[in-house]
Amino acid sequence: MNVVSVNSGHPLRYHGDQAAAGARLDFAVNVVSPSPPEWLQRVLIDEIPRLGSYPPAELQRRAVAAVAAGVGVDKHDVLLLNGAAEGFSLLSRLQPRSAVVLHPGFTEPQACLEDAGVTVGEVIMSAPYTLDTVAVDEAADMVVIGNPTNPTGVLHPVDQLSALARPGRFLVVDEAFLDVTGGESMASLVGRLPGLIVLRSLTKTWSIAGLRCGFLIADPQTVDRLAAFRPHWPLGTLQLAAMIAVMDRGGEFLPGISADIAAQRADMVASLGAAGFHVHPSRAPYLLVNPPGDAEGLRLGLAARGIAVRRCDTFPGLDSRFWRLAVRPPEQVDALLEAVEELTRVKDVRRE
């Protein structure tokens, strides 16, 4: 596997924002749109005059209550996070001896655990990247998986995920993109399924990646262990206000967002297929694809033209023949395919 080291020094800590920096057309980052919806922007603007004060404890309590009500769990099961990624950095506080991360999947959990000195094993799911035939070492006391899994877009059934749980094991399920899939969350199983930890993100669907808003759901004892020794004021006023607003009002907009993503994804699958791409089945706001021809050469050519696609050789189990593409509107997909066609034609002319 060809990987790229970044500033952290960990070869798995490469993410789509690095490809998207400065791009005019971004297929590398899975945020729904470049800016938050107007109603959420207004909420954030209204909070600006109060930024001279530290985040009020009452605002924190309201945010916890809003998340608990929105997810349908007790407030003691909720830990607000400075982005869902912070949750991965806290996992080592549970002192796992032997963790397993299912791949191809989001690499940040493995990087965080290994940085903390935890032994991590990789379990590779082969195409079609489902759990049907996957075997996890019984000795593993922490298992991490995404649902839907990033970058494959596979939505795993709750019963198959539940089968990974064991007494004495933490089962960590990353549901960062679940809200737009129509899939079933495992949050209602917290406290009933041993060791279950569910992570959620608000940054993708609501286009607030710059605010870092996430949370996790776990039994109160686990929440207390993860929260211990965090800095005071772990989340700022704008983050808390955004979380309250999304949990209170987001439900009325989410069906429309989900329907738009599903329609754009269907159009995108058809267009890519007609252009010679192999498109793997996905329920997520992104697609795992194999472009025709020299995938790596095309990726570099697109980057030179200001078009970012997510390389996949940094995901265990994949290589440079794969890209991950964020679901985008038809006009953006057309621009991508026109650039691919031009690059391919130029390459063919040079061969002649």
Side-chain angles (χ1 to χ4, degrees):
M1 181 179 65
N2 180 25
V3 294
V4 175
S5 295
V6 292
N7 291 338
S8 73
H10 199 295
L12 292 178
R13 194 162 274 133
Y14 175 90
H15 301 299
D17 60 313
Q18 292 164 254
R24 63 178 178 84
L25 196 56
D26 174 19
F27 286 87
V29 173
N30 298 312
V31 174
V32 168
S33 63
S35 59
E38 288 188 9
W39 63 268
L40 183 52
Q41 290 185 40
R42 289 194 295 270
V43 169
L44 298 174
I45 290 169
D46 287 345
E47 288 296 329
I48 290 175
R50 289 180 278 277
L51 292 183
S53 301
Y54 286 93
E58 175 58 26
L59 194 64
Q60 170 92 9
R61 287 191 287 269
R62 285 176 54 205
V64 169
V67 168
V71 179
V73 299
D74 187 88
K75 65 181 182 180
H76 296 103
D77 296 339
V78 175
L79 181 62
L80 304 183
L81 299 171
N82 189 10
E86 187 199 8
F88 300 127
S89 73
L90 298 177
L91 292 178
S92 61
R93 297 184 179 187
L94 301 176
Q95 299 181 315
R97 298 180 304 278
S98 176
V100 164
V101 179
L102 280 84
H103 287 294
F106 188 46
T107 54
E108 189 67 15
Q110 182 170 341
C112 288
L113 289 167
E114 290 183 345
D115 282 348
V118 178
T119 299
V120 181
E122 298 175 355
V123 173
I124 306 297
M125 295 177 283
S126 56
Y129 310 111
T130 62
L131 285 170
D132 302 42
T133 60
V134 169
V136 174
D137 187 347
E138 288 295 324
D141 57 358
M142 179 175 285
V143 175
V144 184
I145 184 171
N147 196 39
T149 300
N150 177 6
T152 64
V154 173
L155 189 64
H156 305 287
V158 166
D159 59 343
Q160 291 187 3
L161 291 167
S162 299
L164 296 171
R166 301 281 188 279
R169 170 188 288 177
F170 291 103
L171 173 59
V172 182
V173 182
D174 174 15
E175 295 184 347
F177 298 95
L178 187 77
D179 56 353
V180 293
T181 67
E184 181 182 358
S185 173
M186 296 191 73
S188 63
L189 298 178
V190 165
R192 294 191 286 145
L193 200 63
L196 178 61
I197 301 172
V198 176
L199 287 104
R200 299 291 291 268
S201 171
L202 303 182
T203 64
K204 317 295 194 283
T205 302
W206 306 104
S207 302
I208 48 175
L211 271 187
R212 314 308 305 132
C213 297
F215 58 89
L216 67 78
I217 309 297
D219 64 87
Q221 182 181 6
T222 300
V223 167
D224 288 345
R225 290 179 66 183
L226 292 169
F229 310 113
R230 287 176 90 197
H232 205 43
W233 313 293
L235 278 78
T237 297
L238 292 183
Q239 293 167 294
L240 297 171
M243 296 176 83
I244 293 168
V246 167
M247 301 311 295
D248 286 352
R249 291 198 58 192
E252 64 185 279
F253 301 101
L254 190 58
I257 295 172
S258 302
D260 287 345
I261 290 172
Q264 290 176 5
R265 184 175 60 230
D267 289 343
M268 190 168 171
V269 168
S271 296
L272 292 170
F277 283 67
H278 175 68
V279 184
H280 299 261
S282 173
R283 292 281 297 277
Y286 46 83
L287 296 168
L288 181 68
V289 305
N290 299 106
D294 176 12
E296 182 62 5
L298 285 173
R299 183 185 73 83
L300 294 173
L302 290 171
R305 294 177 177 222
I307 302 175
V309 301
R310 174 59 160 93
R311 63 188 298 173
C312 286
D313 56 347
T314 60
F315 292 103
L318 301 179
D319 55 37
S320 61
R321 294 172 297 173
F322 295 82
W323 297 346
R324 187 196 69 198
L325 298 176
V327 169
R328 294 290 184 251
E331 62 272 16
Q332 295 187 26
V333 177
D334 290 345
L336 169 68
L337 294 178
E338 287 171 9
V340 167
E341 183 181 2
E342 290 173 5
L343 288 166
T344 302
R345 187 166 58 248
V346 168
K347 188 171 184 179
D348 288 344
V349 168
R350 286 175 179 171
R351 283 178 179 170
E352 293 176 0

